Amino acid sequence: MSGQDRGHTPPSSSSLGSVLLRSDIKLLCFEVWYPLEVGNCSSTLVVVIQVDQSIPTMLLYLLTLLVTVAGDALPGSCGFKQSTCGYTSDPAYDQWKTSEDGDFLIVDHTVQERAGQAVLVSPELQLREWSCLRFVYQITGLASLWLYLRPQGQNFDTKLWAADTPSDGWLTASIDLRNSSVSHQVVFKGWLGAEAGSGVALFRIDIIPGYCIGQWPPHLATVRVSTAQGWSPLVCSPECDFEEPHLCAYSTPWSHGAAWYVGGSHAHPGDVAWSSETGRFMYVDSTHGKEVAQLVSPMTTTPLAGCLSFYYRSDQESNCFLTVLTRDQLGQYEDIWRAEINRTTGWTLAQVDIRVPYPLEVVFEAAFNSQAGGRVAVDDISFSPQFCYSESHETSFDPSTANCNFEEGFCQYKAEQAGWSRVTVNPSIYRLGDHTTGSGSFLLANTQISAPPAYMSLLHGPPLPGNLTYCLRFYYMLGFTKTDDALSIYTSDRLGGAERKIWTATETARNVWTEVHVTFQRRRTTRVLFVSMCSQLGDCGLVGLDDISVNLGDCRLTAGTLLSAPGACTFETGTCEFVQDQEGDSADWVWTRGPTPTCYTGPMGDHTTGVGHYMYIEASWMLTGHRARLVSTKQRGSGSPQCLQFHYHMYGSGTGQLSVLLHLAGEESFTTLWSRLGEQGMSWMKASVSYQSDQEHQASTHWIVFEAIRGPSIRSDIAIDDIVFQQGHCNEADGVPYYRFSEKVNEIEF
């Protein structure tokens, strides 16, 4: 917004900006104007600085410089009307083109005649502070649009957002970008389906300081210094003031009754009275009564915790309610604030502390419960990472204290009745090892080896505070057992007193580690109890337990992180851009779930959940010595060490060889980074491989290749799952290979 749009005439600019003085006896308020050039858009930055008269002139000068820097923090914004503002199409893919009228970028079947992808890369961004990336887009046909963040010096992009729903008009997306000391680039990937008419268009991109649920508008930044009570840190006031047409991506669902509208005019000197409003705000006006209207923020995309502030006003004495709620992706609401008074004499400041562990929308809900109707308005919504109230600074409960993989002991879990034992199973073809690495430790409830025999094995977890929703995750495995109560989960508000059963095992998880996730909530402090029972000694069997974790929130919401891990693939939704080698092999890897079709070879299920997907070679379709290669997407390379971790399964008397190869760009040969030959046991084993991809100390583009070679018989199925690439050396040592003739082949260590 320009100075003229605000109803002021900006003074002539200088290197430090021009200063206007408006003050009372104690305080000075400075308004500083700066012309800005962002992309191909011209605007004016207005900075309001409120200081005490006693502040030295030099400090005021430094404050002015600080604001000057803040005004430059908008790289990556672009309207695409005159140029692409430094955005470029990756030449290795199809190209983004400017539309015929020059208003936006597009990739569709008028540009190309086949399905493919086009990659648009931003200039380098210095994201030193939290920012909100907002863009306007449209999808048609079977196309999709993906957004990634590309950190400097890393091989993989971080997926931030994706959409594949076609629309008849322009849509707006908002994504929070975390602050970082490393330079980044924003990457848009447009995927085209084979259907004619498929396309993706980008109309505008804005990167704005602050948070998407309440951020600095592009024309205003505020810096304040406390005066009467002494010095205090500089406090920035990012806010959504609804002055711009995009309304900070807030939306109001359509309804037959009341709805939120934009009030006021295009300028914004203060919004001081209903009758003389000159700035914009959001309001809902009910004339029929008994209506509800919602104003909804964009969905958060990263965990947040801090203070949500806003101004509101109402002209109704009673039967008019303003409530602030959060709404998760399941549509579940939670009240976080409600107006204590209905009628206000003017704009009233409201503040509420919020914690956002998973994607949420903030909903401002106005409800009218009488025929008298009424009017409610909100304005200047902002979010700060500092809590509003001191009591919120108290350390909240950390659910990770209840996590345990049993590698170093029982953690905070306590076994009762001598029924649960911590054991280690050496890699073998007769018993499953642990879930974590295949050769580590886990808990085993096997009452046949207890002394004296125990018919109930109890495992108590640590106390969990009440009035919170928890997601409990763990892996279990059943061996030979006849009882219906092989494993059950209870919650108890006192030690030793089970109150409620929340889960029980089925007999479908034999000889495979199966993931379980259970959501529960209790009013009082509670403990989780893992209980294994048998009616008589002959009915007792093996029950394994491993990798327990606890998170806050419904399990359906915490199923994954808000931002996907770069370079990670569980194969649950596909092959993650891994491709088959079409030239250097004689067979293909197969994407599957469940057991492989050949007996006595291959896994019974995947490593991720026990019932999910993985990649494997089907030996019965191959000849001895045939190889299959699965090739990663092209990696940019880094001069620093890299770590590759994955799980592999090599079970079968005729198992061949699995290798990890490094293929550097421009070279014909492959470098072997890791290899296993022959049968490695019936467990999923974890591998950790450290490597570097530089040539003559320069980072080199490269590919990672998983190569499986078929052994002498059809019992040679080889599988891989849960691939993760990370920066730096691997912290964990690689697992110990299994040797067929070991004397400890069938031994359990207690």
Side-chain angles (χ1 to χ4, degrees):
M1 178 182 291
S2 67
Q4 287 83 354
D5 290 335
R6 285 176 47 85
H8 297 286
T9 301
S12 60
S13 63
S14 67
S15 60
L16 290 179
S18 301
V19 178
L20 301 179
L21 176 63
R22 303 179 309 185
S23 68
D24 56 20
I25 297 176
K26 297 273 186 168
L27 298 176
L28 299 178
C29 181
F30 296 93
E31 190 172 273
V32 186
W33 298 76
Y34 294 92
L36 289 180
E37 293 293 333
V38 180
N40 48 19
C41 301
S42 299
S43 63
T44 302
L45 172 69
V46 184
V47 180
V48 180
I49 306 177
Q50 183 174 308
V51 300
D52 191 280
Q53 289 182 347
S54 63
I55 296 179
T57 304
M58 181 57 68
L59 177 59
L60 178 59
Y61 175 82
L62 293 176
L63 288 174
T64 307
L65 290 179
L66 173 65
V67 175
T68 303
V69 174
D72 294 332
L74 294 170
S77 299
C78 192
F80 301 114
K81 288 186 178 297
Q82 298 177 4
S83 72
T84 60
C85 313
Y87 282 83
T88 58
S89 287
D90 189 328
Y93 303 94
D94 299 310
Q95 302 297 291
W96 289 82
K97 302 293 184 180
T98 304
S99 62
E100 293 182 0
D101 55 10
D103 285 341
F104 55 89
L105 294 184
I106 188 171
V107 55
D108 61 12
H109 281 289
T110 63
V111 178
Q112 60 177 37
E113 299 299 329
R114 57 181 175 78
Q117 65 170 309
V119 179
L120 184 69
V121 183
S122 77
E124 281 199 5
L125 308 176
Q126 303 292 332
L127 303 176
R128 298 294 185 259
E129 302 295 336
W130 280 76
S131 305
C132 177
L133 170 64
R134 180 177 299 120
F135 57 94
V136 181
Y137 71 97
Q138 185 176 8
I139 297 173
T140 58
L142 298 179
S144 61
L145 179 62
W146 300 61
L147 174 67
Y148 295 83
L149 198 63
R150 177 172 293 176
Q152 185 182 42
Q154 293 191 17
N155 292 337
F156 288 90
D157 301 332
T158 301
K159 179 182 173 183
L160 301 180
W161 174 93
D164 58 4
T165 304
S167 67
D168 294 330
W170 294 102
L171 302 177
T172 302
S174 299
I175 294 91
D176 287 300
L177 302 179
R178 284 181 171 273
N179 56 337
S180 174
S181 59
V182 178
S183 298
H184 290 74
Q185 290 175 297
V186 174
V187 179
F188 292 89
K189 293 185 179 180
W191 295 79
L192 292 184
E195 179 182 280
S198 296
V200 179
L202 283 171
F203 179 74
R204 182 177 183 83
I205 301 172
D206 288 300
I207 300 179
I208 305 169
Y211 301 83
C212 291
I213 60 174
Q215 77 290 320
W216 286 297
H219 63 281
L220 180 63
T222 306
V223 179
R224 298 188 181 94
V225 178
S226 178
T227 60
Q229 290 77 29
W231 292 95
S232 69
L234 295 177
V235 179
C236 296
S237 295
E239 61 184 26
C240 179
D241 59 6
F242 302 108
E243 299 302 310
E244 298 295 325
H246 55 64
L247 303 179
C248 309
Y250 275 74
S251 61
T252 177
W254 181 88
S255 67
H256 291 285
W260 289 86
Y261 297 98
V262 179
S265 68
H266 64 279
H268 183 41
D271 300 346
V272 294
W274 287 107
S275 59
S276 61
E277 301 292 355
T278 54
R280 289 183 172 181
F281 55 91
M282 298 300 294
Y283 79 97
V284 55
D285 197 352
S286 173
T287 57
H288 303 288
K290 296 186 177 181
E291 297 175 309
V292 176
Q294 292 183 336
L295 178 66
V296 184
S297 78
M299 183 78 71
T300 62
T301 56
T302 189
L304 300 173
C307 177
L308 178 69
S309 302
F310 60 95
Y311 285 85
Y312 76 98
R313 64 183 305 171
S314 171
D315 67 356
Q316 184 65 291
E317 288 285 359
S318 60
N319 298 315
C320 175
F321 307 98
L322 176 62
T323 307
V324 180
L325 313 96
T326 58
R327 182 171 65 192
D328 59 35
Q329 292 174 307
L330 302 177
Q332 301 174 135
Y333 288 87
E334 180 182 356
D335 291 12
I336 61 173
W337 179 89
R338 177 166 294 186
E340 297 180 354
I341 54 176
N342 291 319
R343 180 185 292 274
T344 62
T345 57
W347 289 101
T348 302
L349 174 65
Q351 294 182 314
V352 57
D353 289 322
I354 62 173
R355 288 183 171 86
V356 184
Y358 41 77
L360 290 172
E361 296 169 321
V362 175
V363 180
F364 293 83
E365 182 177 272
F368 304 92
N369 199 30
S370 73
Q371 296 299 326
R375 175 181 289 184
V376 175
V378 297
D379 202 1
D380 295 346
I381 303 171
S382 66
F383 176 82
S384 168
Q386 298 178 347
F387 288 108
C388 319
Y389 306 104
S390 58
E391 55 267 25
S392 298
H393 288 278
E394 299 177 3
T395 303
S396 59
F397 172 69
D398 181 6
S400 67
T401 58
N403 297 353
C404 192
N405 62 12
F406 304 105
E407 296 303 314
E408 302 296 331
F410 276 80
C411 306
Q412 297 192 42
Y413 290 82
K414 181 180 179 181
E416 299 280 336
Q417 307 294 339
W420 288 96
S421 302
R422 178 173 167 266
V423 303
T424 300
V425 175
N426 292 305
S428 75
I429 60 174
Y430 304 103
R431 297 184 187 274
L432 280 180
D434 77 321
H435 175 265
T436 313
T437 66
S439 58
S441 299
F442 63 99
L443 296 190
L444 186 66
N446 185 350
T447 54
Q448 295 188 59
I449 61 176
S450 300
Y455 295 99
M456 178 180 291
S457 301
L458 299 179
L459 182 71
H460 297 274
L464 304 175
N467 293 320
L468 293 174
T469 300
Y470 294 98
C471 173
L472 169 68
R473 296 179 186 275
F474 61 93
Y475 288 84
Y476 79 102
M477 173 267 298
L478 299 181
F480 52 93
T481 180
K482 300 178 182 178
T483 178
D484 293 332
D485 296 312
L487 181 63
S488 299
I489 310 299
Y490 294 80
T491 56
S492 171
D493 62 1
R494 63 189 187 280
L495 192 61
E499 285 189 341
R500 187 182 305 178
K501 180 187 289 187
I502 59 176
W503 177 87
T504 190
T506 65
E507 293 193 7
T508 60
R510 296 180 182 274
N511 295 317
V512 62
W513 286 104
T514 303
E515 184 189 41
V516 174
H517 44 85
V518 183
T519 301
F520 67 94
Q521 183 180 34
R522 296 293 178 267
R523 296 179 58 185
R524 299 179 180 179
T525 298
T526 189
R527 295 174 184 267
V528 174
L529 279 70
F530 294 85
V531 182
S532 179
M533 295 187 295
C534 52
S535 58
Q536 56 184 352
L537 189 59
D539 286 338
C540 299
L542 293 174
V543 179
L545 180 65
D546 203 4
D547 293 343
I548 301 173
S549 65
V550 177
N551 294 291
L552 294 176
D554 193 298
C555 291
R556 293 171 293 177
L557 298 172
T558 61
T561 58
L562 298 180
L563 301 182
S564 62
C569 185
T570 63
F571 299 110
E572 294 308 305
T573 58
T575 59
C576 311
E577 300 186 35
F578 280 88
V579 297
Q580 310 283 351
D581 187 348
Q582 301 298 326
E583 298 178 358
D585 63 2
S586 47
D588 286 338
W589 287 80
V590 181
W591 183 64
T592 192
R593 65 188 304 175
T596 62
T598 308
C599 296
Y600 304 110
T601 188
M604 296 296 294
D606 77 321
H607 178 265
T608 313
T609 66
V611 294
H613 291 85
Y614 58 93
M615 299 294 290
Y616 88 108
I617 62 165
E618 176 51 55
S620 64
W621 302 345
M622 305 166 65
L623 299 177
T624 301
H626 277 185
R627 71 184 67 223
R629 285 179 173 175
L630 190 67
V631 184
S632 73
T633 184
K634 181 174 66 176
Q635 300 186 32
R636 291 183 295 276
S638 172
S640 60
Q642 305 293 310
C643 175
L644 165 64
Q645 293 184 324
F646 62 97
H647 284 80
Y648 63 95
H649 196 281
M650 300 176 69
Y651 168 59
S653 58
T655 302
Q657 184 173 357
L658 174 65
S659 301
V660 177
L661 310 177
L662 173 66
H663 183 204
L664 297 176
E667 294 190 1
E668 296 184 2
S669 61
F670 293 76
T671 301
T672 301
L673 302 177
W674 175 97
S675 184
R676 287 289 183 270
L677 177 63
E679 189 173 50
Q680 301 295 311
M682 64 184 302
S683 300
W684 281 99
M685 306 297 294
K686 186 175 183 178
S688 299
V689 184
S690 295
Y691 69 97
Q692 288 195 227
S693 57
D694 53 346
Q695 289 179 305
E696 298 180 354
H697 306 290
Q698 297 293 321
S700 174
T701 301
H702 63 281
W703 295 262
I704 293 295
V705 180
F706 289 88
E707 180 186 76
I709 300 177
R710 198 254 206 192
S713 76
I714 62 172
R715 294 189 176 91
S716 184
D717 293 350
I718 297 175
I720 58 173
D721 200 5
D722 294 344
I723 300 172
V724 178
F725 289 89
Q726 297 174 327
Q727 280 192 308
H729 284 289
C730 297
N731 295 325
E732 303 176 17
D734 196 19
V736 179
Y738 159 65
Y739 296 98
R740 182 189 304 264
F741 300 107
S742 170
E743 295 179 356
K744 299 181 178 180
V745 70
N746 196 28
E747 183 175 315
I748 298 178
E749 297 179 358
F750 292 88

